[in-house]
Amino acid sequence: MTDATSKPSRKPTAFRLDDDTVHLKDAHTDLPPVDGILISQDTLDEDDPRLPRSASTPKSGQGFAKWFFIGLGGLISLSIGLAIDSLIRDLFARTDWLGWLGVALTALAVLGLVGLIARELAGVFRLKRIDDLRDRLQSAADDDDARAAQAGVKDLLSLYQDRPETALGRKTLAGHMREVIDGRDLVKLAERDLLSPLDQEARKIVMNSAKRVSLVTAVSPRAVVDLLMVLFENMRTIRRLSALYGGRPGTLGFIRLARHVVTHLAVTGGMAAGDSLASQVLGHGVAARLSARLGEGVINGLLTARIGIAAIAVCRPAPFVATKGPTVSEFMGELISSEEIDSNQKNGKRVT
């Protein structure tokens, strides 16, 4: 016995869309016409069925690589341990005080290694905390979530609680938190009262670094010196900006931070923007007023400033909401004016 409410099944049928018996389903047509076919627009717009994403994802061979590095690391650790054990045994065989001296030095080395690992892990976790805090404040500002903004600002205050130079900003911001303020406005107040002095100091750090790179590039006789100077200044600037905003990274933390800066440059098109800006600088007649060497110094200084701007965006524990943040054009005028002063002084010395 067949249920009256059940729809009768029909066999698959081939038809042409331009056939007169084919009708599109709309809001007023639910039943198929007599001797006709009713199809929905969703059926026409439906994409071809796709295979699962795993079908096009190459299988990773990291399992064997992990086994290899774990085994290799274990063998190296065993060899170092056996070498130290053999050394201590030989020292004890010679005389007891040499053996105990070897034991004390080994304990000192182990203690230093444990402290070094703890410091590196603390630096990595601190950078991760800053990244998470920046994402939370950005989300709170975008959603205008007062509760999330309150929690994020509290963590921001705890991040700088041991910084004397932020005492006034922390006191002012704590007073604002006792008032009923929207989430986005609270993030703006944190940026104005607490982070504004740090942002000014960060701009000075980037500007001074760009000037040093520009000056060394202008006077150095070899390209190798320019390359080493640019590399040293960029690494120094990234580390100083991280310490300014509370990062204090170790070696592993600095590598992670540098990778994030490079990723930020790639995502925002920073190097392309720097090249475009450099071409605009040279196209507006700056190269005509400066020598070729000084013009090259200006370009390297601007690219250094762009890397510094990316480092500020990565190291800062809060997003730029009230302002757009520093831009390369802000550094361009001061950098070019300093190069022109150096050029005039150099020409004046030649004249005399």
Side-chain angles (χ1 to χ4, degrees), residues 160-196:
Y160 295 115
Q161 63 182 356
D162 57 345
R163 300 280 293 273
E165 64 273 15
T166 62
L168 180 60
R170 286 186 282 112
K171 181 179 179 180
T172 305
L173 187 58
H176 291 317
M177 292 182 64
R178 291 191 291 266
E179 303 173 357
V180 180
I181 301 177
D182 295 337
R184 187 176 182 85
D185 293 335
L186 185 58
V187 175
K188 290 182 179 180
L189 290 175
E191 182 179 354
R192 184 194 66 183
D193 298 331
L194 184 60
L195 296 178
S196 179

Side-chain angles (χ1 to χ4, degrees), residues 3-301:
D3 189 1
T5 59
S6 61
K7 295 182 180 179
S9 59
R10 56 183 300 176
K11 298 180 180 180
T13 306
F15 54 87
R16 295 176 57 88
L17 295 179
D18 56 356
D19 195 343
D20 296 336
T21 60
V22 177
H23 302 276
L24 291 178
K25 179 181 178 181
D26 54 19
H28 304 287
T29 306
D30 292 331
L31 298 177
V34 181
D35 297 334
I37 300 174
L38 184 66
I39 60 175
S40 64
Q41 187 69 25
D42 295 337
T43 305
L44 297 177
D45 295 339
E46 184 179 2
D47 296 333
D48 295 336
R50 299 188 60 182
L51 294 176
R53 185 178 182 85
S54 59
S56 60
T57 304
K59 295 183 179 180
S60 176
Q62 294 182 355
F64 295 104
K66 289 180 180 179
W67 294 353
F68 171 75
F69 286 111
I70 289 175
L72 182 61
L75 289 176
I76 294 175
S77 301
L78 287 176
S79 63
I80 294 175
L82 290 176
I84 295 176
D85 179 73
S86 177
L87 176 61
I88 293 177
R89 288 178 184 273
D90 292 340
L91 292 176
F92 272 111
R94 289 176 179 271
T95 181
D96 289 343
W97 71 269
L98 283 177
W100 288 114
L101 179 60
V103 172
L105 293 176
T106 303
L108 184 63
V110 171
L111 182 62
L113 179 62
V114 172
L116 180 63
I117 294 175
R119 189 190 68 178
E120 293 293 334
L121 292 178
V124 172
F125 287 143
R126 193 173 181 88
L127 291 178
K128 186 177 184 301
R129 177 188 176 188
I130 290 176
D131 293 340
D132 294 340
L133 179 58
R134 181 172 57 252
D135 295 339
R136 287 165 51 197
L137 289 176
Q138 181 68 64
S139 177
D142 294 339
D143 300 337
D144 200 9
D145 190 345
R147 182 175 299 179
Q150 288 272 351
V153 171
K154 286 181 180 179
D155 292 342
L156 187 63
L157 291 174
S158 65
L159 181 66
Y160 295 115
Q161 63 182 356
D162 57 345
R163 300 280 293 273
E165 64 273 15
T166 62
L168 180 60
R170 286 186 282 112
K171 181 179 179 180
T172 305
L173 187 58
H176 291 317
M177 292 182 64
R178 291 191 291 266
E179 303 173 357
V180 180
I181 301 177
D182 295 337
R184 187 176 182 85
D185 293 335
L186 185 58
V187 175
K188 290 182 179 180
L189 290 175
E191 182 179 354
R192 184 194 66 183
D193 298 331
L194 184 60
L195 296 178
S196 179
L198 301 180
D199 293 338
Q200 294 177 5
E201 182 64 23
R203 285 179 170 87
K204 292 179 181 178
I205 292 174
V206 175
M207 187 70 250
N208 293 333
S209 178
K211 286 182 178 179
R212 282 191 293 268
V213 169
S214 179
L215 179 61
V216 171
T217 302
V219 300
S220 65
R222 297 185 180 275
V224 178
V225 178
D226 301 345
L227 180 62
L228 293 178
M229 181 62 185
V230 171
L231 181 61
F232 172 77
E233 276 297 329
N234 288 330
M235 294 174 61
R236 183 169 177 264
T237 301
I238 292 174
R239 186 176 290 275
R240 290 188 63 188
L241 289 175
S242 179
L244 176 66
Y245 285 112
R248 298 198 300 268
T251 303
L252 296 179
F254 176 77
I255 294 174
R256 179 178 183 270
L257 184 62
R259 187 177 72 249
H260 284 188
V261 172
V262 173
T263 303
H264 186 274
L265 284 172
V267 171
T268 58
M271 298 307 294
D275 294 339
S276 176
L277 182 59
S279 62
Q280 292 178 7
V281 169
L282 297 179
H284 281 83
V286 176
R289 300 197 303 270
L290 303 176
S291 65
R293 201 62 182 156
L294 291 178
E296 184 179 353
V298 171
I299 296 176
N300 288 339

